[in-house]
Amino acid sequence: MEKYRSKIVETTCELVRMPSVCEEGGTFLFGKDIDKCLDKALEIFADMGFRTFKAEDGAYGYAEIGEGEEMLGILGHLDVVSARMEDGWKHNPFEPVVEDGFICGRGAQDDKGPIVAAAYALKAVLDEGYRLNKRVRFIFGLDEETLWRSIAKYIEREEAPTMSFSPDSEFPLTYAEKGLLQVLFKSKEASAVSFKGGHSFNAVSSAAECKYEEKLENAMKELGYAYHVEGDRLVAEGVSVHAKDPWKGVNANLHLIEAMKKAGYEDKAISFISDVFNDKFRFEGFTSEDLSDFSGPVSVCFSRMTGDENGVVLSVDLRLPVTLEKQKVMDLMAAKAAEYGFELEQFDWLRSIYVPKDSELIQGLMKAYQDVTGDTENEPVISAGATYARGFDNCVAFGAIFPGEEMTEHEPNERASIDGLVRAAEVFKKVFINLATEK
């Protein structure tokens, strides 16, 4: 795949330049920028010889090559989480920088770089003269970072792949994904002070703010929390990470609330947030019962908040163990919320998935990975992330981050290793040869 290195970099940068953050309520289903990114992706694949299709309402698109009844699917997404310079980016997140062996920019690792690596892997297979024995279809989802309406419309209208993988996780392979539950806690009681924090439902808050008060600034200093003042606003500073690993970040929402509490502000919302979420990442704010299974515990990310004279709304992202019933979690949260005058509302739910490690699909993908890398030590893993693998039967997340590589998805200065993308393309190439070409 070395001969395709420069094209992988060039094409990834081309897609990263498109600020494909989901926008609601406009002429386009998920926003103009996402629609333009889909058009660009389809153009790139058409130039590579694929037949392309865009849904009439712009809900999704796909690029397909080959013939036959069976179909191998590659499921990726073109939307990205928000990115702002004030979150700690060293450069414009949508002006990719290639330096020190990395492509730095929003979407380079999640999920534009991996899609491109898989595309050139298939191109290499065809350039070498292999003949496909089935269709290969790249399916482009457009709101994976939010509500999955795009892939839902694809599932409703289109043919499902015979087998598929999503290059939106880690190597060697993810055989189980925890359930993803997003909820809103709502109260009509006015907050003691107006506040807001967080931008993405599925990321730790990097900034939270309220009206400046000297006593609040003193509380921030005493607690040792990072902050800055903008005009008449005090802004707590955090470190954003993916919601599946909230303990790895610094939650600006929680820092602001704790400072408010120390400064003497009192209301039910402040008490609820402090009692239930502060330094409580594994659901211990709601119950002392251990709800974990082989896939791990419940994880809790308090991601967004708003409060004013009209009430308070809190956004919380939870990742549930594979065997845990969602309703039990909902009941526990509703009971605790009621103690503080809050009501609970489900925002989104994605089921968990589990594919046995001895299945034909997993065995075939693992063989390709091991043949290319020689790695027989790392085993299939369980993830708290959510990939499009949940959308179809006989589908798993496969790549594109190798063991030991840093995961920077959803973080400031997201970057993808160029060597890693080229190596991932080698693995994908082996998969295509094994699963989609004539023997």
Side-chain angles (χ1 to χ4, degrees), residues 209-213 229-235:
E209 64 178 72
C210 68
K211 185 177 180 181
Y212 176 84
E213 293 284 352
V229 178
E230 293 181 6
D232 66 346
R233 312 294 290 174
L234 184 144
V235 183

Side-chain angles (χ1 to χ4, degrees), residues 297 300 375 433:
V300 180
D375 176 13
I433 291 172

Side-chain angles (χ1 to χ4, degrees), residues 160-179:
T162 311
M163 65 179 73
S164 51
F165 67 88
S166 177
D168 190 22
S169 187
E170 303 171 76
F171 286 120
L173 184 146
T174 302
Y175 74 99
E177 293 184 12
K178 298 170 78 172

